[in-house]
């Protein structure tokens, strides 16, 4: 029987039958959760035909395939996305209605897959959607984390981390593939020798082996046959490798590998676990690629012509030595031939210019955990030194060495072992080439290129904001759904007063949806006619949530001090997780919540300001928050944010960018014009000058700026907490460590920019026009454009030629 249903009636009949047969009782007697499970399975089965046809078409046409290695894939809920992409959303929705069911209730039963933390993982998810929608063969490779990052609760104003049990009801989208399992070895001894032909050989005796078992999820393209695969690896015991008397330790060690995203690496044990995770999914992923390739081709000689591997940041960089190991040890390739294949196959995306975020592993840890891999890295480093010397650039060696000061520099290994290194925004790439990676850019001038990030407009506009999508369809037709650059047609209509009013009505409807969510989940009443000012992203000092909350504190203190001073009502939304061991970030979360508690309960002030911290930031929270925003806070220290993608999501839904000239903000402003954004603060060149002259003094600002001093003093004088040491880490970071991220330097400029935003908002015609221009110019930031650039300029992959 076909898994397809081409009418509502067929769907209803099949659905009732499947539910009844699965649970052994009449449909009417089954539970909602059971009905959800069957619905998910039916959709997965429905797409099975496309999944099979995609694999067959790739095999028959011998199309080149991309494998995207990333430690994170923040997919979000998939029910709506999958139904929409398949073109059966309305059919299923109406069928469920006829059965007395609401599709929205079914959507709420799905957990956000706990496969990441922030922008890195969401970017990977957007890329997966675009690859399939553009008919490109591109698959994901990641770990099947059982407990995600963590579930965040706010208790007594502080972040509390709970396990994210996203798999407690299973995952309807995945297919377990135990027959594709493989072994991943760690530790132990390596016996190296030369054979009779003078070729290096080794016998490896690992001390710890784990089974990597894949779970595959279909990645469904928008109204296309193409269905790619996200492969998630779980760790299971290998019963042949349990040492006598070590059963419990072995079980715990195996389970730890796929328990959480980014285990705490502030301890040696945590570092070791992270390194295990990275090799685990790399080793398994490379094994899968090699096996798949050899099913289609007689040898690995053409691997670089048929496979592209993209490393999303430094976490998967062990792909390079692992692929060398497989080619040299398992398939007897000579080093130079193997190296040629590896460098043709692998490309690397850099996501940070911050030295502390560029991964480094202790050499001794790498040597102990991965002895053969470490030996290969040593040989890569030795040959690289020879190359540098022979290019007459020996003087830069200490800046580019892979092995130095007892550490393995993973970004250096990534650059040396790749044919392409890309940044993710124009400014970011310029900083890489002219500063952070300058010596590498001189060594390999053709390696470096820019690929400005993008977002899938399908999820972040079409599916999460149907009200705005309908307005756009009515105004410029629906070609933007498949050609997001066509959003620019909206420029012809931005001065239309009727459209402006309709847009403001849509925005108000989205603000009401967010207000209802906040009331239901947090019990806080917010005024939908106030300015919705939003900052939602990972909590890190460089992202400067502190600058945002300092401005809120400034407004409160000024209103308390000056009864004549009042502002246009504003609701400040924050949502962010802090890494469990990042104490400064957790203290900033506590400050935000204590300021919220004070202000929201002050009847004199709370009609002008509300502060809302939405806990447990996720894709699902973002889908409600971002399209309700009036103001998009993108206020990182200039030169620190590689790109950002939240800025693009806000822009696409009609919010003004309030930001520094950092990351993709630069390109947003290039498109909309300075008059349609609010830019403030030090620029990259200003900060470089201050650093060069060593002229920055946070104490000087504190002593000479009353507004700054009033805010900082309020941390200790009982305004927000009766404990004067409550916010000591924040105080120390700003004044004793000289304000590394220039919060105080940019404070006055930020306060002024916020006043400008307030004035703009009150001119509703001008405000609506600005918002419409932002939407019209947002098509460039679709991940479809980004992926086309990767496909053409790095991967050399082309649309799958399906037979008609």
């Amino acid at each position: 029987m076909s898994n397809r249903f081409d009418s509502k009636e067929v769907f209803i009949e099949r659905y009732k039958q499947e539910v009844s047969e699965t649970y052994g009782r009449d449909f009417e007697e089954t539970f909602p959760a059971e009905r959800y499970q069957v619905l998910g399975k039916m959709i997965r089965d429905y797409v099975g035909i496309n999944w099979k046809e995609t694999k067959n078409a790739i095999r028959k046409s011998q199309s080149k395939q991309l494998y995207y290695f990333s430690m994170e894939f923040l997919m979000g809920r998939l029910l709506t996305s999958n139904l929409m992409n398949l073109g059966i959303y309305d059919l299923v929705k109406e069928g469920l209605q006829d059965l007395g069911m609401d599709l929205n209730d079914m959507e709420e039963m799905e957990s956000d897959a706990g496969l990441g933390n922030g922008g890195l993982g969401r970017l990977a998810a957007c890329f997966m959607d675009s690859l399939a929608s553009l008919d490109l063969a591109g698959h994901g490779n990641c770990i099947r984390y059982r407990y995600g990052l963590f579930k965040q609760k706010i208790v007594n104003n502080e972040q509390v981390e709970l396990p994210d049990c996203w798999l407690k009801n299973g995952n309807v989208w995945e297919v377990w593939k135990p027959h594709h399992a493989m072994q991943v070895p760690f530790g132990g001894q390596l016996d190296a020798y030369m054979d009779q032909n003078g070729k290096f050989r080794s016998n490896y005796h690992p001390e710890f082996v784990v089974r990597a078992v894949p779970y595959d999820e279909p990645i469904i393209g928008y109204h296309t046959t193409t269905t790619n695969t996200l492969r998630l690896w779980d760790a299971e015991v290998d019963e042949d490798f349990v040492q006598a008397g070590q059963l419990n330790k072995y079980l715990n060690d195996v389970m730890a590998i796929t328990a959480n995203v980014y285990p705490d690496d502030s301890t040696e044990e945590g570092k070791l676990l992270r390194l295990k995770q990275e090799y685990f999914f790399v080793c398994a992923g490379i094994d899968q690629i090699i096996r798949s390739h050899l099913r289609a081709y007689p040898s690995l000689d053409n691997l670089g012509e048929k496979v592209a591997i993209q490393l999303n940041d430094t976490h998967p960089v062990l792909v390079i030595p692992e692929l060398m190991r497989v080619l040299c040890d398992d398939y007897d390739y000579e080093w130079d031939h193997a190296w040629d294949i590896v460098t043709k196959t692998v490309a690397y995306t850099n996501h940070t210019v911050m030295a502390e975020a560029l991964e480094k592993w202790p050499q001794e840890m790498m040597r102990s955990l991965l002895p053969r891999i470490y030996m290969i890295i040593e040989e890569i480093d030795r040959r690289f030194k020879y190359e540098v010397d022979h290019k007459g650039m020996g003087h830069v060696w200490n800046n580019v060495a892979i092995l130095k000061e007892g550490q393995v520099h993973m970004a250096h290994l990534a650059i040396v072992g790749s044919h392409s290194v890309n940044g993710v925004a124009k400014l970011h790439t310029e900083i890489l080439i002219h500063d952070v990676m300058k010596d590498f850019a001189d060594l390999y001038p053709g390696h470096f290129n820019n690929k400005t990030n993008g977002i899938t407009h399908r999820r972040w506009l079409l599916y999460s904001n149907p009200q705005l999508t309908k307005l756009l369809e009515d105004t410029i037709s629906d070609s933007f759904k498949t050609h997001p650059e066509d959003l620019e047609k909206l420029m012809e209509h931005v001065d239309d007063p009727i459209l402006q009013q309709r847009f403001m009505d849509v925005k108000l409807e989205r603000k009401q949806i967010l207000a209802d969510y906040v009331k239901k989940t947090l019990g806080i009443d917010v005024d939908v006619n106030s300015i919705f000012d939003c900052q939602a992203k990972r909590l890190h000092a460089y992202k400067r949530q502190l600058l945002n909350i300092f401005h809120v504190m400034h407004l409160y203190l000024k209103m308390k001090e000056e009864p004549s001073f009042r502002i246009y009502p504003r609701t400040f939304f924050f949502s962010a997780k802090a890494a469990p061991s990042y104490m400064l970030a957790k203290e900033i979360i506590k400050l935000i919540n204590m300021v919220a508690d004070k202000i929201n309960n002050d009847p004199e002030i709370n009609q002008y300001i509300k502060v809302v911290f939405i806990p447990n930031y996720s894709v699902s929270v973002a889908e409600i928050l971002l399209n309700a925003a009036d103001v998009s806070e993108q206020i990182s220290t200039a030169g620190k944010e590689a790109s950002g993608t939240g800025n693009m999501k806000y822009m696409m839904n009609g919010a003004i960018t309030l930001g520094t000239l950092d990351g993709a903000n630069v390109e947003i402003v290039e498109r909309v014009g300075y008059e349609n954004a609010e830019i403030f603060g030090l620029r990259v060149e200003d900060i470089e000058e201050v650093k060069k002259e060593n002229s920055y003094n946070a104490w000087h600002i504190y002593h000479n700026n009353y507004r700054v001093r009033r805010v900082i003093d309020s941390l200790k004088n009982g305004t927000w907490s009766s404990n004067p040491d409550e916010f000591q880490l924040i105080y120390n970071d700003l004044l004793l460590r000289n304000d590394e991220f220039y919060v105080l330097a940019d404070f006055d400029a930020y306060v002024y920019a916020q006043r400008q935003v307030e004035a703009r908002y009150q001119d509703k015609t001008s405000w609506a026009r600005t918002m419409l221009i932002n939407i019209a110019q947002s098509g460039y930031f679709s991940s479809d454009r980004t992926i086309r650039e990767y496909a053409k300029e790095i991967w050399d992959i082309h649309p799958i030629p399906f037979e008609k």
Side-chain angles (χ1 to χ4, degrees):
M1 183 171 70
S2 169
N3 292 323
R4 293 294 170 91
F5 36 86
D6 52 12
S7 72
K8 180 178 71 170
E9 291 71 26
V10 172
F11 165 72
I12 291 171
E13 182 186 345
R14 283 270 316 284
Y15 182 52
K16 288 180 70 174
Q17 182 181 344
E18 290 240 3
V19 170
S20 183
E21 289 177 359
T22 300
Y23 293 102
R25 56 183 182 273
D26 290 340
F27 176 83
E28 291 72 19
E29 299 299 315
T30 54
F31 293 100
E34 294 171 337
R35 297 180 188 182
Y36 163 74
Q37 291 288 334
V38 171
L39 180 63
K41 181 182 179 300
M42 282 179 68
I43 297 163
R44 199 188 71 215
D45 291 346
Y46 185 101
V47 82
I49 296 169
N50 286 355
W51 212 357
K52 179 189 74 174
E53 284 187 17
T54 302
K55 291 168 184 171
N56 288 343
I58 292 169
R59 185 166 57 245
K60 191 165 186 180
S61 63
Q62 298 192 329
S63 295
K64 187 175 186 180
Q65 299 180 75
L66 162 76
Y67 293 89
Y68 197 81
F69 279 67
S70 177
M71 280 295 265
E72 303 182 44
F73 282 86
L74 268 180
M75 303 304 294
R77 295 170 177 169
L78 292 174
L79 182 58
T80 299
S81 173
N82 285 347
L83 287 171
M84 291 274 199
N85 281 6
L86 286 167
I88 57 172
Y89 183 86
D90 290 337
L91 183 155
V92 169
K93 184 177 183 179
E94 290 166 15
L96 293 175
Q97 277 174 344
D98 286 3
L99 291 168
M101 297 167 60
D102 188 337
L103 181 54
N104 292 334
D105 294 339
M106 303 291 263
E107 291 163 345
E108 289 296 316
M109 290 184 198
E110 183 175 356
S111 298
D112 276 47
L115 300 176
N117 176 24
L120 186 82
R122 188 50 233 172
L123 180 76
C126 285
F127 281 5
M128 288 295 102
D129 182 80
S130 285
L131 282 159
S133 297
L134 296 173
D135 285 322
L136 298 168
H139 315 291
N141 192 76
C142 189
I143 292 173
R144 184 179 179 265
Y145 304 103
R146 287 190 306 283
Y147 301 108
L149 185 69
F150 59 83
K151 182 180 179 182
Q152 181 194 52
K153 281 188 78 174
I154 302 299
V155 180
N156 296 327
N157 297 309
E158 295 186 87
Q159 170 177 295
V160 174
E161 299 98 22
L162 302 172
D164 175 12
C165 302
W166 72 280
L167 282 168
K168 65 186 175 190
N169 295 319
N171 176 9
V172 296
W173 307 116
E174 67 186 13
V175 180
W176 182 40
K177 298 280 189 74
H179 51 290
H180 289 300
M182 53 84 63
Q183 293 178 327
V184 181
F186 297 98
Q189 299 299 315
L190 188 72
D191 302 328
Y193 63 94
M194 291 288 183
D195 68 11
Q196 63 270 30
N197 300 314
K199 184 166 172 60
F200 176 88
R201 302 288 181 191
S202 65
N203 290 321
Y204 181 30
H205 310 285
E207 66 177 359
F208 176 68
V209 174
V210 61
R211 283 180 84 234
V213 183
Y215 289 74
D216 287 356
E217 284 190 15
I219 303 296
I220 302 166
Y222 178 73
H223 295 187
T224 178
T225 301
T226 301
T227 303
N228 291 323
T229 302
L230 171 60
R231 176 155 282 192
L232 305 173
W233 295 96
D234 200 2
E236 292 187 7
V237 299
D238 190 310
E239 56 206 41
D240 296 330
F241 277 87
V242 184
Q243 296 177 358
Q246 296 286 307
L247 177 60
N248 283 341
K249 181 180 185 310
Y250 176 71
L251 292 175
N252 290 335
D253 287 349
V254 170
M255 296 294 281
I257 291 173
T258 54
N260 292 101
V261 192
Y262 302 134
D264 177 9
D265 64 352
S266 60
T267 65
E268 283 299 297
E269 187 183 5
K271 279 192 180 73
L272 188 65
L273 179 54
R274 278 206 190 192
L275 187 54
K276 273 184 187 173
Q277 285 186 329
E278 292 186 5
Y279 184 65
F280 171 77
F281 94 109
V282 158
C283 179
I286 291 297
D287 180 78
Q288 175 223 337
I289 290 169
I290 297 294
R291 284 197 280 180
S292 297
H293 185 83
L294 291 175
R295 281 199 298 271
Y297 305 101
S299 82
L300 296 170
D301 290 355
N302 66 338
L303 189 71
E305 283 79 58
K306 294 301 178 183
V307 167
I309 295 175
Q310 189 72 32
L311 309 179
N312 193 29
D313 213 353
T314 51
H315 312 118
V317 168
L318 290 173
V319 158
I320 292 163
E322 173 63 12
L323 193 48
M324 284 298 291
R325 183 196 68 75
V326 170
L327 291 169
C328 293
D329 294 4
D330 297 347
Y331 293 93
D332 226 20
Y333 278 79
E334 295 296 330
W335 181 279
D336 289 342
H337 191 183
W339 187 246
D340 183 57
I341 292 171
V342 169
T343 52
K344 273 184 183 169
T345 305
V346 177
Y348 161 57
T349 299
N350 173 281
H351 282 278
T352 183
V353 298
M354 296 171 68
E356 66 271 24
L358 293 169
E359 273 192 311
K360 296 177 272 292
W361 295 108
Q363 287 175 227
E364 195 46 53
M365 180 182 286
M366 183 84 77
R367 182 189 288 115
S368 171
L369 185 68
L370 306 169
R372 179 62 178 131
I373 293 299
Y374 181 74
M375 187 181 285
I376 289 169
I377 293 172
E378 281 186 316
E379 183 65 11
I380 294 170
D381 187 60
R382 187 184 70 79
R383 289 173 183 245
F384 177 46
K385 185 172 193 324
Y386 179 86
E387 180 187 350
V388 170
D389 288 343
H390 278 70
K391 284 185 174 180
M393 294 187 66
H395 59 285
V396 305
W397 175 247
N398 196 50
N399 297 334
V400 298
I402 297 166
L403 300 176
K404 63 173 180 175
E405 297 162 358
Q407 294 189 304
V408 184
H409 290 249
M410 302 304 279
H412 296 186
L413 177 58
I415 296 168
V416 173
S418 301
H419 68 272
S420 164
V421 179
N422 73 278
V424 290
K426 266 200 293 195
L427 175 64
H428 171 230
T429 302
E430 286 169 13
I431 292 170
L432 286 181
I433 292 171
H434 300 299
D435 182 9
V436 181
M437 301 295 183
K438 183 183 186 306
D439 294 321
F440 281 106
D442 291 341
L443 277 165
Y444 301 127
H447 267 40
F448 286 79
N449 60 92
N450 179 60
K451 299 288 172 281
T452 297
N453 281 343
I455 58 170
T456 170
H457 64 288
R458 284 166 288 276
R459 179 174 289 267
W460 295 109
L461 175 60
L462 271 57
Y463 304 161
S464 63
N465 197 344
Q467 295 86 354
L468 179 55
T469 300
K470 174 71 166 60
L471 178 59
L472 292 169
E473 286 175 320
D474 291 349
T475 309
I476 58 172
S477 80
D478 65 355
S479 64
F480 69 91
K481 292 183 173 182
T482 47
H483 298 90
E485 62 275 11
D486 284 357
L487 284 169
E488 203 159 344
K489 293 176 182 176
L490 193 62
M491 288 300 293
E492 298 168 22
H493 305 275
V494 297
D495 292 306
D496 178 355
I498 296 172
L499 176 63
Q500 291 172 355
Q501 185 55 52
R502 287 187 66 194
F503 169 73
M504 294 301 283
D505 291 343
V506 162
K507 179 62 79 172
L508 188 64
E509 189 175 345
R510 293 308 314 185
K511 289 169 81 168
Q512 188 63 57
I513 289 167
L514 175 59
D516 292 344
Y517 173 82
V518 167
K519 177 65 174 174
K520 180 182 172 185
T521 57
L522 301 174
I524 300 172
D525 289 301
V526 299
D527 175 8
V528 293
N529 294 306
S530 66
I531 302 171
F532 276 21
D533 183 313
C534 301
Q535 188 176 17
K537 52 185 78 231
R538 182 166 57 93
L539 202 307
H540 194 288
Y542 86 80
K543 294 179 185 284
R544 300 202 297 189
Q545 285 92 347
L546 192 57
L547 179 59
N548 188 344
I549 197 64
F550 270 16
H551 170 246
V552 177
M553 293 155 66
H554 155 74
L555 292 176
Y556 176 79
L557 294 167
K558 185 172 169 64
M559 283 198 275
K560 295 300 279 187
E561 204 171 272
E562 303 174 30
S564 61
F565 172 71
R566 292 296 181 259
I567 65 167
Y568 188 90
R570 189 181 296 223
T571 306
F572 294 92
F573 291 93
F574 294 84
S575 197
K577 290 181 178 180
S581 60
Y582 190 178
M583 302 317 292
L584 174 64
K586 294 176 87 166
E587 192 165 284
I588 293 169
I589 286 177
K590 186 171 191 179
L591 175 63
I592 293 167
N593 280 285
M594 292 187 82
V595 169
D597 196 41
K598 177 87 169 182
I599 292 177
N600 295 350
N601 290 297
D602 185 331
E604 182 189 351
I605 304 298
N606 65 18
Q607 58 192 297
Y608 301 102
I609 301 179
K610 283 281 176 70
V611 181
V612 178
F613 187 96
I614 301 177
N616 205 43
Y617 189 50
S618 64
V619 176
S620 295
V621 169
E623 288 169 339
I624 300 170
L625 180 66
L626 305 188
N627 48 41
D630 295 308
V631 179
S632 162
E633 296 264 5
Q634 309 298 331
I635 59 176
S636 52
T637 309
K640 296 298 183 185
E641 187 73 84
S643 167
T645 52
N647 45 9
M648 303 167 188
K649 294 160 195 163
Y650 285 110
M651 175 195 193
M652 195 172 276
N653 284 276
I656 192 171
T657 300
L658 167 64
T660 50
L661 276 181
D662 196 24
N665 292 356
V666 175
E667 289 159 83
I668 288 174
V669 175
E670 280 176 3
R671 283 178 162 73
V672 303
Y674 280 87
E675 66 278 13
N676 294 303
E678 193 63 50
I679 300 300
F680 74 94
L682 296 173
R683 306 187 179 204
V684 172
E685 53 272 26
D686 301 326
I687 290 172
E688 285 173 355
E689 189 68 23
V690 166
K691 284 181 176 174
K692 192 166 73 179
E693 295 177 358
N694 196 25
S695 61
Y696 186 56
N697 187 328
W699 278 109
H700 180 79
I701 296 175
Y702 170 78
H703 286 302
N704 290 281
N705 186 320
Y706 171 70
R707 297 190 298 188
V708 166
R709 190 165 67 253
R710 180 172 59 185
V711 167
I712 289 181
D713 287 350
S714 77
L715 294 172
K716 288 180 155 292
N717 66 14
T719 303
W720 317 107
S721 170
S722 58
N723 176 3
D725 299 324
E726 188 84 72
F727 305 114
Q728 193 67 44
L729 288 177
I730 295 172
Y731 185 89
N732 291 351
D733 195 65
L734 293 174
L735 295 179
L736 303 187
R737 296 197 183 88
N738 204 35
D739 185 18
E740 179 185 358
F741 297 110
Y742 301 96
V743 171
L744 306 186
D746 276 348
F747 181 78
D748 277 351
Y750 181 62
V751 170
Y752 176 77
Q754 286 282 27
R755 279 210 307 273
Q756 294 298 103
V757 168
E758 179 181 327
R760 283 172 181 245
Y761 186 80
Q762 291 173 77
D763 179 349
K764 288 295 192 281
T765 297
S766 174
W767 184 264
R769 184 179 186 275
T770 286
M771 300 300 96
L772 290 166
I773 289 170
N774 271 270
I775 295 166
Q777 297 297 336
S778 68
Y780 174 81
F781 297 103
S782 167
S783 48
D784 287 8
R785 185 267 315 154
T786 313
I787 287 298
R788 283 195 180 98
E789 291 178 6
Y790 272 101
K792 181 181 178 185
E793 298 166 23
I794 298 179
W795 303 329
D796 189 29
I797 60 174
H798 305 278
I800 302 164
F802 289 96
E803 290 185 350
K804 299 297 182 193

